[in-house]
Amino acid sequence: MRKIVFISIILLFLSCSKSSDFYSGYIYDKTSNKPLSQVYIKENFKTNYKSTSSDKNGFFKINNDTESLGDLIFILKNYKTDTVVTVWSQNGEKIKYRFVGENHDTLYMSRIYSR
């Protein structure tokens, strides 16, 4: 009986899983709402991580040929570096995704001001 329940849970999880073939989204300046180009984006947890840069429209896409999802780090000179968790669940709630698959989420980066 336990095996049947375990297999049912695994099948349910796999049927509800999000396509994770790539990460994608847009990046804008928090103050001006203008797209940011040349933002360096990389996966956080992998030794052989993949990376890319945003285009002139602030868009980026990173192919993911693994079965796991990692956090994304966004780096641009004169802006605060930001790390975004791409998949999470809290206390058994529905699994939530950011920047995964067709979820073209948006990140607003804050400029660092020197005095």
Side-chain angles (χ1 to χ4, degrees):
M1 181 66 171
R2 284 185 174 177
K3 286 183 182 181
I4 293 172
V5 172
F6 179 74
I7 291 172
S8 298
I9 291 171
I10 296 297
L11 290 175
L12 177 65
F13 179 77
L14 291 174
S15 66
C16 294
S17 66
K18 191 84 164 167
S19 169
S20 59
D21 295 338
F22 58 90
Y23 305 97
S24 64
Y26 292 89
I27 307 164
Y28 294 93
D29 179 276
K30 187 174 185 175
T31 305
S32 69
N33 289 327
K34 292 183 180 178
L36 293 175
S37 62
Q38 301 305 311
V39 176
Y40 178 68
I41 304 109
K42 70 177 185 170
E43 293 173 300
N44 185 26
F45 75 102
K46 299 178 183 174
T47 54
N48 294 325
Y49 63 84
K50 297 198 186 228
S51 64
T52 191
S53 294
S54 59
D55 65 15
K56 66 179 181 174
N57 298 316
F59 181 76
F60 75 92
K61 183 174 181 178
I62 302 174
N63 289 325
N64 180 16
D65 56 4
T66 67
E67 293 182 15
S68 59
L69 296 169
D71 299 342
L72 295 177
I73 301 174
F74 297 82
I75 303 167
L76 182 62
K77 185 177 180 181
N78 297 322
Y79 282 83
K80 292 180 184 174
T81 298
D82 201 353
T83 302
V84 174
V85 176
T86 60
V87 59
W88 73 95
S89 177
Q90 187 173 14
N91 295 327
E93 295 175 0
K94 182 178 176 183
I95 297 175
K96 298 178 183 177
Y97 300 90
R98 288 195 69 197
F99 298 106
V100 177
E102 295 296 330
N103 249 11
H104 297 308
D105 288 310
T106 303
L107 176 70
Y108 291 89
M109 294 185 74
S110 298
R111 192 175 271 281
I112 297 172
Y113 295 100
S114 58
R115 294 180 178 190

